[in-house]
């Protein structure tokens, strides 16, 4: 199902993006010319009437986008796991004593060594989707990896510092 997002210019204010959910609810984002953003929820019975408007700081808007994007990505990974036999998704906690705390993801060489991919990292309440090789790990990060059972066990061992390579 394709979702349609409507863009409406708001003269003197900015622009509004609205989408109608499959349940018939309309939700939108008003992006003001001064950079402010408001998340808006419209009345089901009167789509011109706003039930709630929630102002978002830049950090809040980015966090909301990350949460929505990451949950979508994890849902897609779960669907992929059901479609491809032997492919697993796993969350791996990075121990505080890991030799990779403070080091870049690329230093692990996890994909090369295990044929498994690190597709996201959860840190506090933030999800970093598709971290690049220059992403720097912190203690207590939770790594989301995709691969075979053997590959995921290898990623776990690498992150724990249990390999010589």
């Amino acid at each position: 199902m394709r979702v349609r997002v409507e863009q409406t210019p708001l003269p003197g204010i900015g622009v509004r993006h609205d989408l109608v959910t499959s349940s018939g609810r309309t939700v939108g984002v008003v992006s003001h010319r001064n950079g402010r953003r408001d998340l808006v929820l419209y009345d089901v019975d009167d789509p011109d009437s706003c039930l709630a408007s929630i102002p978002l700081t830049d950090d809040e808007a980015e966090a909301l986008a990350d949460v929505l994007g990451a949950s979508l990505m994890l849902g897609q990974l779960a669907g992929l796991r059901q479609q491809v036999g032997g492919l697993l998704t796993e969350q791996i906690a990075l121990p505080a004593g890991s030799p990779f705390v403070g080091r870049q993801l690329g230093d692990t060489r996890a994909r090369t060594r295990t044929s498994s991919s690190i597709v996201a990292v959860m840190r506090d309440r933030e999800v970093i989707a598709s971290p690049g090789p220059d992403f720097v790990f912190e203690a207590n990060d939770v790594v989301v990896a995709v691969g075979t059972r053997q590959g995921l066990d290898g990623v776990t061992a690498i992150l724990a510092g249990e390999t010589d390579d």
Side-chain angles (χ1 to χ4, degrees):
M1 180 177 148
R2 187 131 175 106
V3 176
R4 189 178 78 196
V5 176
E6 293 182 7
Q7 179 177 323
T8 306
L10 302 173
I13 297 171
V15 65
R16 184 182 77 213
H17 293 91
D18 295 326
L19 70 94
V20 178
T21 68
S22 61
S23 66
R25 300 299 304 259
T26 302
V27 64
V29 175
V30 176
S31 300
H32 296 260
R33 290 176 27 191
N34 65 6
R36 189 178 105 202
R37 282 179 220 72
D38 296 321
L39 181 64
V40 292
L41 179 64
Y42 297 97
D43 188 332
V44 173
D45 298 322
D46 182 3
D48 293 326
S49 177
C50 179
L51 289 177
S53 177
I54 304 166
L56 300 173
T57 65
D58 288 345
D59 289 341
E60 292 164 342
E62 185 176 335
L64 182 59
D66 286 346
V67 167
L68 292 172
S71 65
L72 178 62
M73 181 190 70
L74 292 174
Q76 290 170 340
L77 287 173
L80 180 63
R81 180 173 60 200
Q82 292 172 354
Q83 295 173 11
V84 181
L87 186 63
L88 304 170
T89 305
E90 191 161 281
Q91 296 180 14
I92 305 164
L94 185 72
S98 169
F100 292 101
V101 170
R103 291 181 55 197
Q104 295 182 344
L105 182 149
D107 292 343
T108 67
R109 297 184 23 251
R111 186 173 36 210
T112 301
R113 294 165 64 186
T114 68
S115 296
S116 293
S117 295
I118 295 174
V119 297
V121 175
M122 296 181 285
R123 177 176 292 157
D124 298 320
R125 293 186 325 232
E126 181 182 2
V127 176
I128 299 100
S130 302
D134 57 346
F135 174 82
V136 177
F137 288 112
E138 292 182 6
N140 303 314
D141 280 349
V142 176
V143 172
V144 179
V146 176
T148 63
R149 174 76 274 143
Q150 182 179 358
L152 293 173
D153 289 346
V155 172
T156 301
I158 289 167
L159 294 176
E162 297 173 356
T163 63
D164 294 330
D165 190 37

